[in-house]
Amino acid sequence: MKRFLCMLWLEEVSSTQDYLKDKMSLNCVVVARTQRLGRGRYGRFWHSDMGGLYFSFSLKESFKDEQALPLVLSLSVCQLLEDYGFFASIKWINDVYLKGKKICGILVEKVKDRIIAGIGLNVNQENFPEGLQATSMLLVSGRKYDTIEVLFRLLKKIDRNLDLLKERGFGDFREDIKKRLLFLGEEVILQTDPPTVGILTDLSPEGQIILLTAEGEKRVISGDITLRGTILS
Ligand code: BTN
């Protein structure tokens, strides 16, 4: 792996994402065993109990179709989980689901010319707060995993996929992501104000979802979708 040049292991931190935002360190991976204020998109709280894998990394590189980075990272997580025998799905644009529950969340932020990406993967947690539709590798398989091994295997996949994205763009990932995409062909609600309802018909060559709405076709590159009529979010 040539991309990740340093690694910092913390017992506890407020958020690996914020830690890296404050430091200027590049190509650095910051891992924490727990986070006090782990966060997700739209300022949501990311539950970070012991047993999960929480890390962020910073890069100063440009990628073709950079807006599709969360999808490429989601695919890397799916590929990793497949190596462990799980078949996971991607909820556009940055979530990974297993058996109808969230197993991983991804946060990609741009700070000036730096990309800071954070990944929270539920590995060995035995339970989650009530009301949270979350699962872990342990809860699904009944066995414990070596978090360090999981991290290194994931970083390897990310490194390779980022090389591909850089050289060839999102097009090369499209089919692999479509195969794992949740809600394809189904009616979804995009959380706009007011909400947009449409059928998720396709994924564009740049990573946008294509929605067929009452007003015609809409292409969207960021946002949050839920299946119409469910509470999966
Ligand atoms: C989401 O589901 O919206 C994204 C969740 C991202 C959580 C990870 S855990 C490591 C890194 N540090 C944070 O505070 N957030 C990300």
Side-chain angles (χ1 to χ4, degrees):
M1 270 187 292
K2 58 192 173 322
R3 182 167 275 110
F4 303 116
L5 302 177
C6 77
M7 195 166 270
L8 180 65
W9 297 83
L10 303 170
E11 191 58 27
E12 190 194 271
V13 70
S14 83
S15 151
T16 55
Q17 199 74 6
D18 294 337
Y19 187 94
L20 266 183
K21 266 190 165 176
D22 292 343
K23 311 272 169 214
M24 289 310 286
S25 31
L26 273 176
N27 297 77
C28 204
V29 182
V30 176
V31 197
R33 289 205 339 138
T34 58
Q35 300 182 114
R36 292 183 303 277
L37 290 172
R39 56 186 183 80
R41 289 196 310 160
Y42 309 113
R44 291 178 194 140
F45 184 69
W46 182 259
H47 203 77
S48 311
D49 271 358
M50 217 55 117
L53 174 61
Y54 314 107
F55 69 97
S56 299
F57 55 87
S58 56
L59 303 171
K60 194 173 175 177
E61 297 178 53
S62 50
F63 295 95
K64 283 188 186 145
D65 305 318
E66 189 177 301
Q67 70 288 345
L69 255 175
L71 276 176
V72 171
L73 295 177
S74 300
L75 177 68
S76 310
V77 173
C78 286
Q79 291 168 335
L80 167 91
L81 289 172
E82 280 156 32
D83 286 355
Y84 281 102
F86 304 100
F87 190 79
S89 307
I90 298 172
K91 184 164 96 59
W92 182 88
I93 187 169
N94 68 327
D95 291 334
V96 179
Y97 273 73
L98 190 58
K99 299 204 179 285
K101 293 184 173 172
K102 187 157 163 171
I103 191 159
C104 174
I106 291 160
L107 182 65
V108 178
E109 297 177 304
K110 196 91 198 247
V111 181
K112 294 185 188 141
D113 53 354
R114 286 188 304 155
I115 294 165
I116 302 182
I119 298 187
L121 175 62
N122 299 331
V123 181
N124 288 321
Q125 294 100 317
E126 290 176 7
N127 46 52
F128 292 95
E130 227 183 276
L132 209 62
Q133 290 298 307
T135 194
S136 68
M137 292 166 68
L138 178 141
L139 282 174
V140 174
S141 71
R143 56 164 283 221
K144 271 206 163 185
Y145 296 84
D146 178 345
T147 321
I148 299 177
E149 182 193 304
V150 173
L151 171 68
F152 277 93
R153 286 169 77 159
L154 179 54
L155 286 175
K156 239 172 149 173
K157 298 227 180 272
I158 291 174
D159 194 42
R160 203 190 50 215
N161 285 337
L162 291 184
D163 281 347
L164 264 178
L165 184 68
K166 206 178 171 86
E167 284 156 28
R168 305 176 60 98
F170 181 73
D172 275 33
F173 295 98
R174 184 167 166 242
E175 282 311 314
D176 276 342
I177 289 175
K178 266 182 77 173
K179 268 193 250 163
R180 297 165 174 88
L181 194 63
L182 280 177
F183 312 152
L184 195 58
E186 298 187 76
E187 196 168 33
V188 297
I189 304 174
L190 175 72
Q191 304 303 332
T192 42
D193 188 19
T196 309
V197 177
I199 297 172
L200 201 173
T201 56
D202 207 351
L203 190 65
S204 81
E206 295 79 32
Q208 299 144 315
I209 39 165
I210 304 180
L211 295 181
L212 185 60
T213 73
E215 288 80 44
E217 189 184 286
K218 279 206 168 108
R219 289 175 180 237
V220 189
I221 193 53
S222 75
D224 225 12
I225 54 168
T226 48
L227 189 61
R228 199 174 182 199
T230 68
I231 51 157
L232 191 63
S233 64

